[in-house]
Amino acid sequence: MDTFEIIAEESDVDKRIDLFLAKNLESFSRSYIQDLIKKGKVTINNKIIKANYRLKEGECVVLDIPKPEPLEIVPENIPIDILYEDEDVILVNKPKGMVVHPAAGHYKGTLVNALLYHCKSNLSGINGVLRPGIVHRIDMDTTGVIIICKNDIAHQHIAKQLANHSITRKYVAIVTGNIKEDEGVIDAAIARSKSDRKKMAVDKDGKRAVTHYKVLERLNGYTYIECVLETGRTHQIRVHMAYIHHPLLGDEVYAGKSGMKLQGQCLHAMVLGFIHPKTKEYMEFEAPIPEYFNEILNKFRKV
């Protein structure tokens, strides 16, 4: 069990204990801290307190964080659309709504659960028990091609290509508004949002992020585009397109509600190309555009 001790200062007087701890321990959510308070893991002067307790100056708040219980990720017989497979790598066309690897709130039904059933123990272990074989990921509501590594040697090779930006990654997306330019480059650093820790944002102090975009079709108030990633930051295309005032259709995080019945952003990882870790040959795979995406395009074309 890890223990944190924090002294309340003059500026903390009369603050609620849960808000005080959430501010001082940003790596823990307020809901998690409230749960620990309910379980009696927060004390002041050896006395268990409630979440609405108001602080006094100089009080020593003690928070005990229980060690996480080891999780067993269970193989699940979930159908997966395999684009290519050999003894080193497997490329999958991920459907909308599927989480890539287990995380808080998503320990079942993930791509990893499906891969453990399909590949048995033949997955790389570099990223730990929660992310076997996973060398990169795409968002839950983003569809398309993702590469998984079956052994650590393959994982190291693919990870190196990702790091030096030599992997080909082409996406297609539908964005709001008509983009005037036929093509362009967005070179804007991205970091965790300072106002909302669940979001990313353009930030000059963040990591460099570069997205190349090209207009494929203009659709009466929307634009169908291709994006090529030069870097691979979290939510990169979603953040960059919102930054130039053309957010992705259906992206409620960065664009708000669209008024259409959509399940997340209209974004599809269409092409992935890489140097095979064993043969050293360049290979490229394409995931067909999903049905929902084509239906939206056809609907806009008829307007």
Side-chain angles (χ1 to χ4, degrees):
M1 185 174 295
D2 293 324
T3 300
F4 295 88
E5 294 186 4
I6 308 172
I7 304 296
E9 301 178 355
E10 184 179 354
S11 59
D12 299 315
V13 171
D14 209 35
K15 280 186 180 177
R16 280 175 56 111
I17 186 68
D18 54 344
L19 294 173
F20 169 76
L21 288 172
K23 179 183 177 181
N24 284 277
L25 300 169
E26 292 186 354
S27 57
F28 303 118
S29 69
R30 185 181 171 190
S31 59
Y32 177 65
I33 288 172
Q34 288 175 332
D35 184 58
L36 291 177
I37 292 172
K38 289 179 182 177
K39 292 178 179 177
K41 301 297 182 182
V42 178
T43 59
I44 294 177
N45 298 328
N46 295 319
K47 293 182 179 180
I48 295 174
I49 46 82
K50 294 182 179 180
N52 61 357
Y53 180 86
R54 302 282 177 171
L55 287 164
K56 301 179 182 66
E57 184 178 358
E59 287 185 319
C60 180
V61 181
V62 179
L63 172 65
D64 291 325
I65 305 293
K67 293 290 185 183
E69 296 179 6
L71 289 169
E72 181 183 357
I73 306 304
V74 179
E76 295 181 65
N77 186 8
I78 302 170
I80 47 178
D81 182 5
I82 298 172
L83 301 173
Y84 173 82
E85 182 178 12
D86 61 26
E87 61 184 11
D88 296 295
V89 296
I90 176 171
L91 285 94
V92 172
N93 181 15
K94 188 191 81 66
K96 183 174 278 286
M98 175 180 268
V99 174
V100 170
H101 61 76
H106 297 281
Y107 292 112
K108 294 181 179 180
T110 73
L111 179 58
V112 162
N113 293 104
L115 289 167
L116 286 172
Y117 182 90
H118 177 78
C119 300
K120 306 297 188 284
S121 59
N122 297 321
L123 291 169
S124 67
I126 289 176
N127 269 340
V129 295
L130 291 182
R131 294 186 287 173
I134 303 301
V135 66
H136 74 120
R137 62 185 179 183
I138 55 180
D139 296 334
M140 177 175 72
D141 289 327
T142 299
T143 56
V145 60
I146 180 172
I147 185 171
I148 297 99
C149 297
K150 288 188 168 185
N151 54 67
D152 288 354
I153 293 175
H155 191 121
Q156 290 166 348
H157 277 275
I158 299 301
K160 186 175 181 181
Q161 292 177 60
L162 283 164
N164 61 27
H165 314 309
S166 63
I167 282 185
T168 301
R169 282 177 292 172
K170 293 181 182 179
Y171 289 70
V172 289
I174 301 173
V175 302
T176 59
N178 287 315
I179 298 179
K180 295 179 180 179
E181 305 82 10
D182 289 337
E183 57 185 47
V185 180
I186 306 169
D187 187 342
I190 290 175
R192 184 73 57 185
S193 169
K194 293 182 174 65
S195 60
D196 186 343
R197 303 300 293 174
K198 295 179 181 179
K199 296 171 63 175
M200 307 300 290
V202 168
D203 186 330
K204 62 181 178 60
D205 296 323
K207 293 182 179 179
R208 189 181 183 218
V210 182
T211 302
H212 301 257
Y213 67 88
K214 178 172 67 175
V215 172
L216 299 177
E217 192 174 353
R218 293 183 175 90
L219 299 160
N220 191 29
Y222 299 92
T223 310
Y224 177 35
I225 64 172
E226 175 188 271
C227 292
V228 177
L229 293 183
E230 188 174 318
T231 57
R233 308 303 175 203
T234 300
H235 297 178
Q236 179 171 315
I237 294 173
R238 298 167 65 187
V239 171
H240 271 173
M241 298 315 297
Y243 177 65
I244 64 168
H245 308 296
H246 292 287
L248 270 62
L249 175 64
D251 191 345
E252 294 189 1
V253 175
Y254 297 102
K257 294 186 177 181
S258 65
M260 298 177 63
K261 291 183 178 180
L262 299 171
Q263 183 184 328
Q265 64 277 354
C266 293
L267 181 63
H268 177 65
M270 191 165 69
V271 175
L272 192 146
F274 60 99
I275 303 295
H276 192 278
K278 185 171 290 182
T279 67
K280 304 300 186 255
E281 294 180 357
Y282 179 77
M283 305 179 76
E284 189 171 283
F285 298 91
E286 181 172 327
I289 294 174
E291 183 178 354
Y292 92 91
F293 202 114
N294 275 322
E295 287 177 354
I296 294 171
L297 287 175
N298 290 330
K299 179 181 178 181
F300 289 161
R301 285 165 181 153
K302 293 176 182 178
V303 175

